[in-house]
């Protein structure tokens, strides 16, 4: 079985995926793949430089993520242009890795961490979807602290995504990560007891 894992930015997807992996799940991580497809030498990086200009590259030719982030999170049409370049490549690798894990061990739960699962309408790729939920205020506070962003920059990133309350409504499973880590561990243990062993 595979399960999409999503939520909002800084809601705790990495925290939850780590807990699931510790219990035996396989992990496919879309954010990690998104970094791989823009490494130097990759076709997506060349297309990004053509579309956004050399200013989004660092001196060594790698992507200036901070600079590109500032551009795409302040203008939806720029964000769409970036997504048109990177998303097909990300989706292709994601599907390949899911299929590889499925062949290796059909009984193992494959968790696929996809921040934009609902925004990109990828729900049909997964048997079930888990949403990691925290209220918007908690999400904002954790994002500002983790990425050292100001309030406005953090708000812009949140506003580039579907509202977390809407994601919560669509989920098959919800993990509420607004309490302590121990609280989240308890929920993951309950989930694993019921659904982890196929
Ligand atoms: C714009 C980029 C360079 C900024 O890099 P940065 O290191 O600051 O952020 P990072 O990649 O770690 O992403 C952090 C979070 O931002 C959010 N986010 C990223 N891209 C997007 C997007 N296009 N729309 C909405 N939210 C996004 C996600 O929640 C993600 O987990 C980078 O996010 C990127 O290449 N985005 C396009 C690819 C993409 O859509 N990735 C996310 C889903 S696979
Ligand atoms: N239960 C918790 N209590 C306090 N802090 C937490 C909790 N869970 C996660 N955090 C912190 O909140 C921040 C966001 O968590 P995490 O990186 O797991 O989110 P994410 O959803 O993977 O983020 P992104 O969308 O950017 O990939 C991190 O700094 C993490 O240490």
């Amino acid at each position: 079985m595979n399960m999409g894992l999503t939520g909002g930015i800084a809601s705790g997807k990495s925290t939850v995926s780590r807990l699931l992996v510790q219990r035996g799940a396989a992990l496919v991580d879309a954010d990690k793949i998104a970094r791989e497809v823009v490494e130097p030498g990759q076709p997506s990086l060349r297309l990004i430089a053509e579309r956004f200009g050399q200013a989004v590259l660092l001196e060594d030719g790698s992507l200036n993520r901070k600079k590109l982030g500032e551009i795409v999170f302040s203008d939806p049409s720029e964000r769409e242009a970036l997504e048109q370049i990177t998303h097909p490549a990300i989706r292709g690798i994601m599907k390949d890795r899911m299929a590889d894990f499925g062949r290796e061990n059909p009984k193992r739960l494959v968790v696929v961490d996809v921040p934009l699962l609902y925004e990109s309408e990828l729900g049909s790729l997964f048997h079930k979807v888990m949403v990691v939920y925290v209220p918007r205020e908690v999400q904002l506070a954790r994002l500002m602290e983790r990425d050292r962003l100001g309030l406005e920059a953090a708000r812009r990133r949140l506003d580039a995504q579907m509202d977390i309350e809407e994601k919560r409504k669509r989920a098959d499973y919800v993990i509420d990560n607004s309490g302590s880590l121990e609280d989240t561990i308890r929920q993951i243990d309950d989930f694993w007891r019921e659904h982890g062993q196929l």
Side-chain angles (χ1 to χ4, degrees):
M1 180 176 92
N2 67 51
M3 179 176 80
L5 175 69
T6 193
I9 184 166
S11 70
K13 294 178 298 298
S14 307
T15 306
V16 164
S17 66
R18 197 184 64 239
L19 295 170
L20 291 168
V21 166
Q22 283 169 358
R23 284 155 185 75
L27 177 65
V28 177
D29 181 341
D31 266 344
K32 192 163 156 263
I33 298 171
R35 285 170 188 264
E36 291 170 18
V37 303
V38 297
E39 274 169 12
Q42 294 296 318
S44 294
L45 185 60
R46 188 175 46 77
L47 292 170
I48 288 171
E50 277 171 15
R51 170 62 176 74
F52 294 91
Q54 297 294 316
V56 300
L57 299 182
L58 294 168
E59 268 180 23
D60 65 1
S62 64
L63 184 62
N64 185 336
R65 307 182 64 85
K66 188 166 183 292
K67 177 101 191 173
L68 186 58
E70 281 162 10
I71 297 172
V72 304
F73 291 118
S74 51
D75 185 340
S77 64
E78 298 288 296
R79 198 169 69 240
E80 211 169 289
L82 175 64
E83 291 173 356
Q84 273 176 15
I85 294 172
T86 58
H87 281 190
I90 297 169
R91 265 199 298 275
I93 297 176
M94 201 172 83
K95 285 186 190 167
D96 287 349
R97 292 197 185 158
M98 283 165 61
D100 288 348
F101 279 127
R103 263 192 304 273
E104 248 170 62
N105 181 354
K107 293 192 162 188
R108 192 175 183 198
L109 177 67
V110 181
V111 172
V112 192
D113 183 341
V114 194
L116 304 179
L117 188 149
Y118 290 121
E119 289 86 343
S120 305
E121 298 178 345
L122 297 176
S124 64
L125 290 180
F126 309 107
H127 298 120
K128 297 283 180 188
V129 174
M130 175 183 275
V131 164
V132 185
Y133 171 80
V134 296
R136 186 180 158 97
E137 297 68 43
V138 177
Q139 206 186 341
L140 256 182
R142 288 186 185 164
L143 177 60
M144 288 170 69
E145 181 169 335
R146 187 194 60 186
D147 292 354
R148 297 207 190 82
L149 291 175
L151 183 60
E152 272 318 303
R155 277 205 181 122
R156 276 200 294 274
R157 287 187 181 223
L158 251 69
D159 291 342
Q161 303 190 345
M162 183 189 288
D163 187 53
I164 187 124
E165 301 296 336
E166 177 60 31
K167 292 182 180 181
R168 172 159 78 158
K169 282 188 213 152
R170 296 186 186 196
D172 296 300
Y173 310 114
V174 177
I175 299 294
D176 185 332
N177 186 39
S178 54
S180 66
L181 182 60
E182 287 68 34
D183 228 43
T184 297
I185 289 173
R186 262 193 297 276
Q187 294 173 64
I188 294 297
D189 281 334
D190 289 346
F191 168 82
W192 192 261
R193 231 182 307 329
E194 241 187 285
H195 308 283
Q197 321 293 340
L198 307 178

